[in-house]
Amino acid sequence: MAPVITLTTDFGTGDAYVASMKGVILTINPQATIVDITHSVEPQNVLQAAFILSTAHSYFPEGSIHVVVVDPGVGSARKAVILRTPSAFFVAPDNGVLSYLLDAPGRGPARPSLPIPSNLEQREPGTGFEAVHITNPDFWLRPVSATFHGRDIFAPVAAHLSLGVPLSRFGDSIKRLYAFPIPRPDRDAEGNLVGHVLHIDNFGNLITDIKNNDLPTGELVVQIGSHRVQGLSQFYSQRDGLMAIIGSSGYLEISLRNGSAAAFLGIKVGGAVRLRRSKAATQ
Amino acid sequence: MAPVITLTTDFGTGDAYVASMKGVILTINPQATIVDITHSVEPQNVLQAAFILSTAHSYFPEGSIHVVVVDPGVGSARKAVILRTPSAFFVAPDNGVLSYLLDAPGRGPARPSLPIPSNLEQREPGTGFEAVHITNPDFWLRPVSATFHGRDIFAPVAAHLSLGVPLSRFGDSIKRLYAFPIPRPDRDAEGNLVGHVLHIDNFGNLITDIKNNDLPTGELVVQIGSHRVQGLSQFYSQRDGLMAIIGSSGYLEISLRNGSAAAFLGIKVGGAVRLRRSKAATQ
Amino acid sequence: MAPVITLTTDFGTGDAYVASMKGVILTINPQATIVDITHSVEPQNVLQAAFILSTAHSYFPEGSIHVVVVDPGVGSARKAVILRTPSAFFVAPDNGVLSYLLDAPGRGPARPSLPIPSNLEQREPGTGFEAVHITNPDFWLRPVSATFHGRDIFAPVAAHLSLGVPLSRFGDSIKRLYAFPIPRPDRDAEGNLVGHVLHIDNFGNLITDIKNNDLPTGELVVQIGSHRVQGLSQFYSQRDGLMAIIGSSGYLEISLRNGSAAAFLGIKVGGAVRLRRSKAATQ
């Protein structure tokens, strides 16, 4: 039974780019099960791809191979890499798109520039991780184009991985990969936690960088633009209007019942979400 | 050979929601064949999902498992259910999204409110149908979120169903499911049949709630907005301009050759389509 | 191991049309591997479908079955056909959508009308090709609608082909298929090569009908609208701003680093791209 290969790209679905990758994979491994994560990443938005991937990969079978091709530097000196974690493989350009997998605890708050992170730093993957610089052309399509490594390098490498080719055959082990600082909430002068909108989903839910365990104790008051939401809701139909809720990936979300919070509030990715403890709780 | 599992949601394809469901299914049943029906249902539009599903499910292999997650009440007291019909399984919230499967003959004309039906009534499925209230957490992902039962309940239940787990293991049998009255044409004061636009497809074809066998005998005259179409066309390129045609699901459609009837007429879902018998036929 | 069946349509993904085709295929051949090429072809744009298909099919396994349903003439006298090439099968209406497969060398420059080619001519497929007129209803869904041959004829025929049914069973061999002249660059009065934008991809790259081996020797100067680009870039991040590059399908592309050349230049499909040899090279 062949492993699952997932695809996350900014290719859209109107061209044949994604299909060409699938054709290449199925030519090498006809038994591969290919699953699209999304192809609607904004062009070149490495951070968005990294975030979406981070919410999905852990739901796939152990040993799945996740191919990520958001690759503005294709054809340049940026490396193509494989990252093996204890549960999965990731095949991607070394441009920060795997940052959520390399996240180290204890770092201070920071927000990468958007859409292409300019504050990349090299980081060592965690224990049990192994990274390889893809250099062996035996596993590539030939000739390799300079503009479409998704089809010519990443897809065939993933397909060969799915056939059980050992990691070491694809290239030399490397110690460090590029990562951007994972977006985390700040604190303002009064000590309130200030998060930021990280992603806006199909429903217009505003997904912030505030995680469940960042929440202060006591009754919560969320300030977003000129609106204030009191208390956490448990589910989307619990109350009318705006609500704050812990979403399915563990992040604080601002939602609007049967509507788009993003459209209603006019808030974009990067917008601030401030948490105040309610007076009852803080006085 | 594992059954087909289909997915119909309002999740869009820009987030990882759909992919997470697929990952969960493939973790439980790596042999599952997963097919997307659509993920472009308007957010919370239960009626649209019900209609689209009704046009597709009968083309799938017997025993297919159709998962429908258009679920504005997720996390609330609304039930999660499995409906077994003589030919397939449906896994969905009990919110009317399975109404077309529960349609009973002989009811009067009615149109549900849009997009979320407020005129739900409980109805007994037909002979040979069986419904189960999903309550056994043994077949769920844990922990279960309150916002994403698609991933945490519907997907794993469908995957276990595809492995042959008997219906009774998922929860108790229930006698009635919620349904909305299926949209049907009315009659106006002069006895003309008045249908309504039920769905606008990718081509701008206006699909009405008038079925083939609703059509009056004699030459047909269709009035839509200020336009009038005479006679039924057999296929889209039979004539230029606007035409009336029986579409591939058996409903009367208004189409524009090589164009969008919806854009040309400025008609939306719910708009009226009036059938007159031509004078030649009625005099 | 069943062959791959690919689907290229103008159906969009918001309706159940594509899913119905997949259900039909899986009912006939549960082992089929189905891959979407795209369903976002502009409605009735036969030329766009032909081009997208031409960039993808060669990356699929030998013996793959490519179903193309961009079919404004559905239900009319236009033929449904199977074309077998030395490497694959194509199942499509005989309306020019297979033109790139029938391209013969030595023809003069020409551009088909858009979106529906009116300059179709009948052409004999190359050596090693075989074409069949699909007429045997034993392999169709019944009843056959007049509006959805994708579901009722093309899908079931492709599924039966994937089971190994011989070509001759589907209908009689035919000698000629309709094709439009493949878009090719012209020359202006000064002898400069004048290409045209053939396709705009998801990134806003302008893909022209100028191929790698059409390029004049010497340093290249590309004129597009009021902009001029000097030299060929090797990859997208090689320089800032506008660039000319040979894309992954071998065509000259105009691209904008980290942006949309189409939006920046305001150029649409059909727009002219003029190649001048630089003065240094020509003097």
Side-chain angles (χ1 to χ4, degrees), chain A residues 51-53 82 111 134 166 180 184 193 228 230 249 255:
Chain A
F51 174 74
I52 292 176
L53 178 68
I82 304 170
R111 285 188 305 288
I134 300 171
F180 53 74
R184 296 284 298 135
L193 205 65
R228 189 173 283 221
Q230 195 115 10
S249 297
S255 302

Side-chain angles (χ1 to χ4, degrees), chain A residues 1 38 59 199 201-202 234 248, chain B residues 10 13 15 17 23 30 146 151:
Chain A
M1 197 186 53
T38 184
Y59 294 98
H199 182 70
D201 76 7
N202 186 58
Q234 298 308 308
S248 58
Chain B
D10 57 357
T13 53
D15 304 297
Y17 299 139
R151 179 192 68 194

